Amino acid sequence: MTPVELSRSVLCAVRRAVDEGELAVAVPERVVVTVPGPGGCGDYATNIALQLARPAGQPALRVAEILRSHLAGTDGVADVVVTGPGFLNIRLGGAASVALVEEILRRGERYGYANGPSADFVPLSCPREVRAVVVMDAVARILRSQGAAVRTRCEAEFPQEWVDILGVRVDTVGGGSSRPGASNAVGRQGHDAGPRVTRHQPVPPHLPHHAVRPVPAPLDPLFLGRDAARWALLHPAEHDRPRVTDEHLVQRESNPLFRVRYAYARTRALSRNAADLRFSAEPGPVEPSTGQFTDQLASHPPASLTPHPLQTALADHPRVLAQAAAHRAPDRLARHLVAVADAVLPLLAVVLPRGAEKPSAAHRARLALAEAAGAVLAGGLSLLGIDAPEHL
């Protein structure tokens, strides 16, 4: 169950409570579900009860209990707990987790993309500054993944090295002239991220360009190469000053880009090793190992191997893409990829059988979960214009 589907389930619970006369409120158009905050529990939480308390004329805790009773029996919801002043904390069932992994493996790197083009047309513009051009390029990729048609424009001609090394693409320069390499940008596997507007299509007069103007880079990032340079410019929030140093090239845990790419490379290595052992991924319940893994579990407690943090991060991917597109904020996607990488790394140590152990259903389920994480990491890096190497 994705956050969007869970949001709809919560909304249906509100409608049922209203239809049965338990709540006298106008049903909201949408419900926001997020990762539980401090004091919360489960996979997701929502403050809908606090929002409805005043118009319903009832205490928020009472509204929460009403909604809990309607939500608890929903397919895919294992448990609902009320915490604090009236937060609904929702734990998803195992079947929902399996369905999530199945969906990701089915859609691959396009998991989280819109199902089709939308009616949105977004003209973007930026000054002649390297970070602004790179951010605009990433924003355009993310918007297209959400079905929007996008046209990009730079206010002045920029160096050809930005195209050759950083891989940026713009549709028009200055007053509308095109530049080499400004045609359709192609994704990592040779496909577009979504619908495009040709550079000759005029911008409707009622749609002014959205200006992309992040804090400028302190120096030219070309010496870092494409991947590290783009990460250095995209990972910080728009209002933060980027650090353009060789720290983005080091292969150690302190480098977020390395952790993301390393996690992806490990998922691909696991798939190759599993093929050598003659077993493949099969979504299912993920359980901690026992028996011959006693020593390993001592250094990796079962709590750190539970799939819930990773499944929550994977389920949140469509919402993150939508928010990154809506706020023109590729840094949200970059930070999300770091969260996915950090969540999957503890799981990778127990995906393959050890010694004489035979591959079990749990091994196949862990491999499926790891491959799903790999698909999200590769797809997210592609939208940032960064390569996801299978060997690192």
Side-chain angles (χ1 to χ4, degrees):
M1 180 179 292
T2 67
V4 173
E5 293 169 336
L6 180 58
S7 176
R8 292 171 183 159
S9 296
V10 176
L11 198 58
C12 288
V14 174
R15 289 197 183 98
R16 287 195 296 270
V18 171
D19 292 342
E20 295 180 14
E22 297 175 286
L23 293 177
V25 295
V27 178
E29 293 185 1
R30 60 190 294 266
V31 172
V32 176
V33 295
T34 62
V35 176
C41 59
D43 299 307
Y44 292 98
T46 177
N47 65 349
I48 184 63
L50 282 76
Q51 297 178 25
L52 298 179
R54 177 173 292 182
Q58 299 189 49
L61 284 173
R62 172 59 183 160
V63 176
E65 287 296 338
I66 292 173
L67 296 180
R68 187 191 67 80
S69 65
H70 288 281
L71 188 61
T74 303
D75 289 342
V77 174
D79 191 22
V80 182
V81 176
V82 178
T83 62
F87 291 101
L88 289 170
N89 295 259
I90 304 164
R91 181 169 62 86
L92 302 181
S97 300
V98 172
L100 170 67
V101 174
E102 290 175 341
E103 179 187 1
I104 297 174
L105 295 181
R106 177 176 57 83
R107 301 196 64 181
E109 294 183 20
R110 285 181 170 265
Y111 168 65
Y113 280 35
N115 292 325
S118 69
D120 295 334
F121 177 81
V122 185
L124 302 172
S125 67
C126 72
R128 183 191 179 279
E129 191 277 320
V130 63
R131 188 186 185 198
V133 175
V134 170
V135 170
M136 183 177 70
D137 178 72
V139 168
R141 294 167 185 254
I142 296 171
L143 282 166
R144 288 170 186 137
S145 79
Q146 300 306 293
V150 184
R151 184 179 180 183
T152 58
R153 178 175 69 86
C154 185
E155 295 174 357
E157 189 81 10
F158 53 79
Q160 182 64 31
E161 288 83 358
W162 294 6
V163 175
D164 298 337
I165 297 177
L166 300 180
V168 297
R169 297 291 185 270
V170 297
D171 296 313
T172 60
V173 176
S177 61
S178 61
R179 61 174 292 114
S183 59
N184 289 0
V186 181
R188 180 172 168 272
Q189 291 188 337
H191 52 66
D192 251 335
R196 292 184 60 92
V197 174
T198 64
R199 58 180 178 271
H200 303 296
Q201 180 172 340
V203 177
H206 63 285
L207 285 178
H209 280 84
H210 171 83
V212 178
R213 296 182 181 275
V215 172
L219 67 154
D220 192 329
L222 295 182
F223 72 96
L224 293 175
R226 173 172 175 168
D227 296 331
R230 289 184 70 102
W231 182 269
L233 301 178
L234 295 173
H235 183 248
E238 182 179 9
H239 55 272
D240 291 333
R241 185 180 179 87
R243 294 172 57 88
V244 182
T245 69
D246 57 6
E247 67 187 33
H248 301 290
L249 297 173
V250 298
Q251 296 193 11
R252 60 171 66 111
E253 289 185 8
S254 59
N255 180 1
L257 175 59
F258 171 72
R259 295 207 305 276
V260 172
R261 301 175 86 195
Y262 174 72
Y264 171 72
R266 282 287 307 278
T267 65
R268 300 305 304 141
L270 287 173
S271 297
R272 294 191 297 270
N273 293 337
D276 291 340
L277 295 174
R278 301 183 184 277
F279 80 95
S280 58
E282 184 176 336
V286 179
E287 300 175 356
S289 301
T290 57
Q292 296 183 20
F293 292 103
T294 303
D295 294 337
Q296 189 173 11
L297 288 175
S299 59
H300 296 280
S304 70
L305 299 177
T306 176
H308 291 299
L310 176 57
Q311 289 169 342
T312 299
L314 297 180
D316 209 30
H317 186 63
R319 183 192 66 82
V320 171
L321 288 183
Q323 290 295 309
H327 295 279
R328 319 290 192 257
D331 59 286
R332 297 192 179 200
L333 173 58
R335 291 194 299 272
H336 176 65
L337 296 181
V338 176
V340 172
D342 290 344
V344 73
L345 283 172
L347 177 75
L348 301 182
V350 293
V351 169
L352 299 178
R354 301 287 294 272
E357 187 181 19
K358 301 289 186 182
S360 66
H363 290 116
R364 294 182 175 87
R366 293 187 202 115
L367 179 60
L369 185 57
E371 289 185 350
V376 168
L377 293 173
L381 286 172
S382 178
L383 289 177
L384 296 178
I386 298 173
D387 183 47
E390 296 198 0
H391 301 273
L392 193 63

